[in-house]
């Protein structure tokens, strides 16, 4: 009788003790078969956080009434206005569109927003003044949602890395929300802002476990058959996430070809540190997703420009081969270290420095390879400044 009470008390105490959140980037034992976790599941907490971020960015976008760069109009709203209402409606089309240097995907998004707002205004029979106000507010609202999604998936990426109940994830969300540079830039209709959100979502979907060398033991036939169904489901979910990630990465590279540098780094690490089976999967999915996005982009650009063209290649030729971007000025070699990153990071600068130091010294503390540590350091710096780093390199 007493022994049974002791067993029950031990069971209840062990089950009620809180477990320490584990990191998704560190090898750990697989969950049991009766535990189902999905990285893409939407919980009530996630829904509340997303709604809060959308409301916050809506306040942000309608509060900021300053001017930053001409590109926040010329990269998106002016060509979008021409697409939605015609060539004779006063849109200002700059030389970069006449030389077919940019993809039409970004302005097409806001052209759809303009068209939807125009239909709503006609259905509600708004006055000309209210109609104009709605057309001004519509792209601001759309960009606020895009910025909120970037904040949301930054938080989800931190939860995926550090654990769902970790303080680091909440600190990441707080730094994103209170960032002065985010407040100033994230709700502007620049192509860099859309690229930023797409890249953050793709980073969240990236199979980080492929970059780790795991030393597993040989399983018995009975154990393998017992976990076959679970492993099959995990492989299917991982493949689906990889396809979503690569598709979004391809769209980001079409918007700004320099985005390919991020994915070359990640794919290079995964290639050198994973198995041959995963290498074949990676190459196959890169070709499939990349060709699908490039094909769709080519058709869209054909309809927009009226001829077959490939803006990413022209963009690289203009900025690298011809080096005509120096017409807008040239910075010192230390600009990004001495001025760029401190300006863009602002309140996050101390945390970024600590994170960089820990990532660089991780090879001595956790046994991870030096290459992986360097990539983590690069991503730490990139993630801290990704919302606005490219804004200075348009």
């Amino acid at each position: 009788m007493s022994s049974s009470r002791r067993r029950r008390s031990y069971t209840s105490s062990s089950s009620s003790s809180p477990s320490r959140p584990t990191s998704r980037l560190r090898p750990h034992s697989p969950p049991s078969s009766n535990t189902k976790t999905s990285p893409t599941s939407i919980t009530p907490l996630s829904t509340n956080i997303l709604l809060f971020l959308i409301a916050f960015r809506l306040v942000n976008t309608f509060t900021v009434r300053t001017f930053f760069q001409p590109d926040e109009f010329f990269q998106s709203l002016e060509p979008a206005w021409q697409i939605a209402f015609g060539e004779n409606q006063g849109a200002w089309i700059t030389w970069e569109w006449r030389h077919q240097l940019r993809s039409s995907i970004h302005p097409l998004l806001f052209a759809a927003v303009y068209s939807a707002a125009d239909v709503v205004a006609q259905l509600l029979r708004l006055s000309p003044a209210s109609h104009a106000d709605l057309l001004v507010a519509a792209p601001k609202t759309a960009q606020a949602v895009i910025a909120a999604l970037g904040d949301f998936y930054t938080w989800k990426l931190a939860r995926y890395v550090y654990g769902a109940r970790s303080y680091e994830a909440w600190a990441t969300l707080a730094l994103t929300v209170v960032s002065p540079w985010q407040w100033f830039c994230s709700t502007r209709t620049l192509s860099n802002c859309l690229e930023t959100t797409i890249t953050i979502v793709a980073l969240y979907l990236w199979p980080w476990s492929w970059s780790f060398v795991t030393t597993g033991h040989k399983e018995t036939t009975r154990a393998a058959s017992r976990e076959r169904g679970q492993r099959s489901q995990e492989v299917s979910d991982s493949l689906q996430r990889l396809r979503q990630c690569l598709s979004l990465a391809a769209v980001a590279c079409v918007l700004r070809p320099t985005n390919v540098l991020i994915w070359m780094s990640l794919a290079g690490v995964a290639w050198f540190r994973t198995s041959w089976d995963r290498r074949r999967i990676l190459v196959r999915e890169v070709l499939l997703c990349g060709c699908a996005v490039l094909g769709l982009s080519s058709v869209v650009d054909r309809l927009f420009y009226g001829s077959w063209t490939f803006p990413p290649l022209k963009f690289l030729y203009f900025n690298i081969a011809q080096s005509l971007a120096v017409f807008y000025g040239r910075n010192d070699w230390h600009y990004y270290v001495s001025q760029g990153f401190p300006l863009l990071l602002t309140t996050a600068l101390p945390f970024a420095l600590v994170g960089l130091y820990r990532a660089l010294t991780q090879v001595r503390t956790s046994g991870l390879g030096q290459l992986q540590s360097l990539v983590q350091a690069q991503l730490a710096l990139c993630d801290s400044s990704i919302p606005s780093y490219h804004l200075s390199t348009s």
Side-chain angles (χ1 to χ4, degrees):
M1 183 69 178
S2 60
S3 62
S4 62
R5 283 198 299 267
R6 284 196 298 270
R7 284 196 298 270
R8 285 196 298 268
S9 62
Y10 173 77
T11 304
S12 60
S13 61
S14 61
S15 61
S16 61
S17 60
S19 59
R20 185 176 182 269
T22 59
S23 171
R24 297 292 183 89
L25 290 184
R26 296 177 175 84
H28 57 280
S29 58
S32 59
S33 58
N34 57 359
T35 302
K36 296 182 179 180
T37 58
S38 175
T40 58
S41 60
I42 301 297
T43 63
L45 175 62
S46 299
T47 303
N48 293 335
I49 293 295
L50 178 59
L51 293 177
F52 162 75
L53 290 173
I54 292 176
F56 178 77
R57 290 304 174 191
L58 284 173
V59 174
N60 183 182
T61 192
F62 289 107
T63 302
V64 175
R65 307 177 69 88
T66 56
F67 172 80
F68 178 42
Q69 281 190 2
D71 284 343
E72 60 188 282
F73 304 102
F74 296 142
Q75 284 184 355
S76 55
L77 299 186
E78 294 296 334
W81 185 273
Q82 177 175 293
I83 296 172
F85 303 112
E87 296 183 359
N88 299 322
Q89 297 301 317
W92 289 11
I93 305 301
T94 55
W95 62 271
E96 56 189 351
W97 293 103
R98 304 186 190 281
H99 287 79
Q100 303 174 354
L101 296 181
R102 294 194 179 274
S103 171
S104 59
I105 294 178
H106 189 216
L108 280 173
L109 171 64
F110 288 99
V113 173
Y114 275 137
S115 299
D118 184 60
V119 170
V120 171
Q122 292 179 7
L123 291 176
L124 297 178
R125 298 181 179 179
L126 298 179
S127 64
S130 299
H131 192 169
D133 291 337
L134 180 60
L135 291 177
V136 171
K140 288 178 173 289
T141 303
Q143 185 59 44
V145 174
I146 293 173
L149 288 174
D151 298 334
F152 179 68
Y153 276 94
T154 300
W155 173 64
K156 287 181 71 71
L157 177 61
R159 282 165 55 94
Y160 189 74
V161 172
Y162 297 107
R165 292 176 292 176
S166 64
Y167 293 114
E168 292 87 348
W170 292 109
T172 301
L173 179 62
L175 287 173
T176 302
V177 170
V178 303
S179 171
W181 194 257
Q182 280 282 78
W183 178 272
F184 183 66
C185 291
S186 65
T187 57
R188 300 184 185 273
T189 53
L190 290 153
S191 62
N192 315 79
C193 297
L194 178 61
E195 175 205 4
T196 295
T197 296
I198 293 175
T199 304
I200 292 173
V201 178
L203 287 174
Y204 168 71
L205 296 171
W206 176 256
W208 295 97
S209 59
W210 288 18
S211 300
F212 286 84
V213 178
T214 57
T215 56
H217 58 278
K218 186 179 294 185
E219 297 179 329
T220 62
T221 305
R222 182 178 300 177
S225 61
R226 185 170 57 248
E227 298 183 358
R228 185 177 303 167
Q230 179 184 352
R231 289 181 180 273
S232 177
Q233 181 64 30
E234 290 177 355
V235 170
S236 177
D237 294 342
S238 177
L239 183 59
Q240 182 180 3
R241 285 170 58 88
L242 178 63
R243 288 173 177 171
Q244 295 172 355
C245 169
L246 294 177
S247 299
L248 291 173
V251 173
C253 293
V254 168
L255 290 176
R256 285 188 61 81
T258 51
N259 191 271
V260 73
L261 298 175
I262 297 176
W263 303 106
M264 287 176 59
S265 302
L266 293 178
V269 174
W271 175 269
F272 284 109
R273 299 179 66 87
T274 193
S275 62
W276 277 105
D277 291 337
R278 288 178 173 176
R279 290 176 183 176
R280 285 191 290 268
I281 293 175
L282 181 61
V283 172
R284 182 193 68 195
E285 297 302 327
V286 166
L287 292 176
L288 290 177
C289 297
C291 291
V293 172
L294 289 178
L296 179 61
S297 174
S298 299
V299 172
V300 171
D301 290 332
R302 170 66 174 83
L303 297 175
F304 177 77
Y305 287 111
S307 61
W308 291 106
T309 183
F310 193 56
L313 183 60
K314 291 191 174 184
F315 180 90
L316 293 175
Y317 178 75
F318 176 87
N319 286 281
I320 297 178
Q322 293 185 316
S323 191
L324 295 179
V326 298
F327 173 77
Y328 297 97
R330 186 191 299 270
N331 293 318
D332 296 328
W333 63 269
H334 55 79
Y335 168 78
Y336 292 110
V337 176
S338 62
Q339 303 175 50
F341 286 128
L343 174 64
L344 302 181
L345 292 172
T346 55
T347 54
L349 181 59
F351 305 97
L353 294 177
V354 173
L356 282 173
Y357 173 77
R358 290 183 177 180
L360 289 172
T361 58
Q362 193 174 24
V363 64
R364 296 193 298 268
T365 58
S366 64
L368 297 178
Q370 183 178 6
L371 182 60
Q372 177 66 21
S373 299
L374 292 177
V375 171
Q376 287 181 351
Q378 178 185 354
L379 286 180
L381 189 58
C382 181
D383 290 341
S384 299
S385 59
I386 196 172
S388 304
Y389 167 70
H390 292 295
L391 294 180
S392 60
T393 59
S394 299

